[in-house]
Amino acid sequence: MASLSLSTYDTLASEHQSPVDPRELTIGVVHLGVGGFNRGHQLAYLERAAAASGQHHFGVSAYSERSADASDVLSAQDGLYSLRVATAEHSAITVIASLREAHFAQRDNDRLIEQLSDPAVRLVTLTVTEKGYRHDPATRRLRRDDEGVLADAAGAPPATVLGQLVRGLEARRRRDAGPITIASCDNLPANGAVLAGLIAEFLQLPGRFDEGLADYIDTQVFFPCSMVDRIVPAATDEHRRLVAEVLGVDDRAPVLTEPFTQWVLEQRLGPGLPDLAAVGVEIVGDVAPYETLKLRALNGTHSAIAYLGLLAGYDEIAAALANEAIARFSRAFIDEEVEPTLALPAGVDFASYRDEVLERFANPLLGYRTLQVAGDGSQKLPQRILGTVAERLAAGATPRRSTLVLAAYLKAITEGRDENDRPFSVSDPLAGTIRERLAGAHTPGERAERFLSVRELFGTELGDDERLRGLLTESIAALGSAPVLAVLADIDGR
Ligand code: CS2
């Protein structure tokens, strides 16, 4: 079967073609982090904006950060890929035109710097995952001992996102290419402000930077915060086979997602951007209420279902949520522990939001795997669970469910087996540190104390909190002496 590319694009049925001809798009946007989420979310919005406005100068050049695999596959397809939006009742497949170039950042460094400094490029978006920021998850400050960051500051061809942005902005200033907007689209609270702060810290490292670069960044570079939401599971062979059958061409980088999509962007934008508001992007003064709601109620619950489901032997989120005990726990977690910490955005009805989140998670077509959500927990849990824990403790409450999720994360990381004794391996940058710290700790109390000593995760305040230590001890003891579902029944029976 022929591969999807510009040479086979015209063989597609019109219903599967983009509303925008990919051959008419020129580069106006650079994206860092080639992944399924970006291709199912921002690129779909940018395509809709191009179709609505007739402007064709917001094509995207995307750069993968960790390997050349994804970008090589997309390059071979001239940047084309299919987007399947599916529910149990309906499924539609269209080929997305926005992505015009795909590169591996470390291999195509010169092209990246050249495009970041191109006056025609006015927007940079990032989905480099939480760990791409090279920061300490607890403090959100730059890890100043990070070898990659130090090498980039010293003048090496930039291999880190921060180094690539700084060197690109340095070249942009030299070319007098004008202002630019850099929008982080990662699941981090105050992501734009965090990124701006990390770049300012980067410029304080020992290294060589143009005189006036910091001032250029302060006055000509805009770092809006943003909240992005769409469930985009990793693609499977089965999904790829279905797409080939429908399109009649082989797409080696298909994207599957849900109908729901949301992008809330802070009104801190430079000039010359596409009209994103015209295609449903919410431009607001303060993104924080939207971020906190989404990170704690949606992502926090996603992580809860992932770790509890993984330990109970469920491969998929939807299957785990179909279990009554996990469903009851998830709902109570949101209602009793998350909701009291929220200042809802205007017009949001909490019960409707919660019901919609659980309904989205239950979509059987997505096949979102518990192991995918469980990955990188040390980078995710601070904003998804620990914020809730800290605020509930400060309010004198007892966040048992949040603490049980932390204990389930610990068990998944340190034991790597479900209750049917099936092995699994959760990928996490701090997994080694946590396992080392827990070595020799046998009692629940010892394990709780060692776990809390991982300051990169808990920070100092929570790490020293006696009540949290007591709750963690209880949760670790419970998960060590009974099956997960029995522990959930007990916690709900309290
Ligand atoms: C998920 C997120 O894998 C995960 O950690 O919780 O990718 C989630 O699907 C998105 O944030 C939804 O917007």
Side-chain angles (χ1 to χ4, degrees):
M1 178 178 278
S3 296
L4 174 61
S5 69
L6 285 176
S7 57
T8 58
Y9 180 74
D10 290 329
T11 67
L12 298 174
S14 57
E15 68 187 274
H16 300 305
Q17 290 188 358
S18 166
V20 177
D21 187 329
R23 292 157 289 215
E24 293 176 2
L25 293 177
T26 58
I27 303 296
V29 179
V30 165
H31 179 76
L32 302 186
V34 174
F37 180 80
N38 163 253
R39 294 188 290 126
H41 184 271
Q42 294 98 319
L43 288 178
Y45 277 105
L46 286 167
E47 177 176 84
R48 296 216 299 268
S53 63
Q55 293 175 326
H56 291 162
H57 52 282
F58 292 114
V60 180
S61 177
Y63 289 79
S64 55
E65 293 288 336
R66 281 178 284 180
S67 86
D69 298 350
S71 50
D72 285 351
V73 167
L74 286 161
S75 278
Q77 298 187 168
D78 300 319
L80 298 177
Y81 64 92
S82 62
L83 182 62
R84 179 178 172 226
V85 179
T87 64
E89 297 77 35
H90 178 67
S91 168
I93 300 176
T94 56
V95 169
I96 297 289
S98 307
L99 181 61
R100 294 294 81 243
E101 292 182 22
H103 303 277
F104 176 40
Q106 291 182 43
R107 185 178 60 199
D108 303 323
N109 219 272
D110 294 343
R111 179 74 172 150
L112 172 56
I113 301 302
E114 191 268 324
Q115 289 188 318
L116 287 171
S117 61
D118 184 339
V121 171
R122 289 300 186 87
L123 174 64
V124 178
T125 52
L126 283 77
T127 52
V128 293
T129 78
E130 297 87 343
K131 57 180 182 284
Y133 290 79
R134 309 288 177 125
H135 70 324
D136 177 322
T139 64
R140 296 194 188 113
R141 299 295 303 276
L142 182 64
R143 290 203 316 266
R144 291 177 178 245
D145 60 349
D146 182 286
E147 288 175 12
V149 163
L150 291 170
D152 287 0
T160 67
V161 166
L162 295 174
Q164 290 156 9
L165 289 175
V166 166
R167 296 307 176 197
L169 292 171
E170 195 167 54
R172 187 174 186 88
R173 177 180 171 275
R174 287 174 189 164
R175 283 177 70 177
D176 194 18
I180 191 167
T181 299
I182 300 181
S184 166
C185 296
D186 283 296
N187 282 327
L188 290 174
N191 47 22
V194 167
L195 178 58
L198 292 169
I199 284 181
E201 287 193 78
F202 185 94
L203 293 179
Q204 293 162 7
L205 292 172
R208 292 184 297 108
F209 306 108
D210 283 5
E211 189 67 33
L213 176 59
D215 184 55
Y216 165 73
I217 291 173
D218 284 346
T219 56
Q220 304 255 355
V221 184
F222 298 82
F223 293 95
C225 293
S226 77
M227 186 283 281
V228 292
D229 186 2
R230 194 168 215 185
I231 297 177
V232 183
T236 61
D237 289 341
E238 181 194 344
H239 171 221
R240 183 173 156 189
R241 275 194 297 277
L242 181 143
V243 168
E245 197 177 299
V246 171
L247 295 185
V249 292
D250 182 30
D251 175 5
R252 295 173 56 219
V255 176
L256 168 63
T257 189
E258 59 173 340
F260 181 95
T261 186
Q262 185 179 20
W263 190 356
V264 180
L265 191 55
E266 183 183 6
Q267 177 64 51
R268 182 190 297 269
L269 304 169
L273 300 186
D275 184 358
L276 293 169
V279 290
V281 176
E282 299 163 71
I283 311 290
V284 300
D286 181 6
V287 178
Y290 298 88
E291 268 172 8
T292 309
L293 170 62
K294 193 258 181 176
L295 286 169
R296 291 184 182 179
L298 183 142
N299 290 114
T301 308
H302 223 188
S303 292
I305 297 167
Y307 294 115
L308 296 168
L310 200 54
L311 293 174
Y314 291 102
D315 290 336
E316 295 189 4
I317 293 287
L321 194 54
N323 175 285
E324 179 49 35
I326 293 177
R328 192 171 52 244
F329 175 92
S330 303
R331 199 182 179 86
F333 164 73
I334 301 177
D335 288 352
E336 295 173 26
E337 299 192 14
V338 176
E339 198 274 336
T341 71
L342 300 174
L344 291 175
V348 170
D349 172 73
F350 181 76
S352 307
Y353 183 88
R354 174 245 290 139
D355 292 346
E356 186 177 42
V357 163
L358 295 175
E359 193 180 313
R360 290 169 60 199
F361 286 162
N363 182 341
L365 267 289
L366 296 181
Y368 212 115
R369 300 185 69 75
T370 47
L371 203 55
Q372 178 177 349
V373 181
D376 293 344
S378 62
Q379 314 297 305
K380 297 176 179 178
L381 292 176
Q383 51 273 14
R384 297 183 180 203
I385 302 289
L386 295 184
T388 298
V389 168
E391 290 189 29
R392 296 308 291 146
L393 289 173
T398 307
R400 289 187 199 288
R401 292 181 173 82
S402 303
T403 314
L404 187 67
V405 176
L406 298 175
Y409 161 72
L410 179 68
K411 189 175 178 76
I413 287 283
T414 53
E415 297 182 14
R417 286 188 173 282
D418 68 20
E419 291 177 349
N420 308 315
D421 207 27
R422 280 190 320 164
F424 55 74
S425 173
V426 176
S427 163
D428 190 306
L430 286 185
T433 301
I434 291 169
R435 283 194 282 265
E436 278 162 30
R437 201 67 58 85
L438 268 293
H442 300 296
T443 68
E446 285 168 344
R447 296 179 71 76
E449 186 168 8
R450 300 281 192 83
F451 187 29
L452 288 170
S453 75
V454 182
R455 291 306 197 233
E456 304 93 314
L457 177 56
F458 290 99
T460 311
E461 199 171 335
L462 273 184
D464 290 339
D465 192 298
E466 285 302 315
R467 287 170 303 161
L468 179 54
R469 184 142 66 92
L471 284 168
L472 257 182
T473 301
E474 270 182 42
S475 296
I476 292 168
L479 289 177
S481 55
V484 168
L485 300 183
V487 173
L488 299 185
D490 177 56
I491 207 169
D492 283 325
R494 282 182 180 231

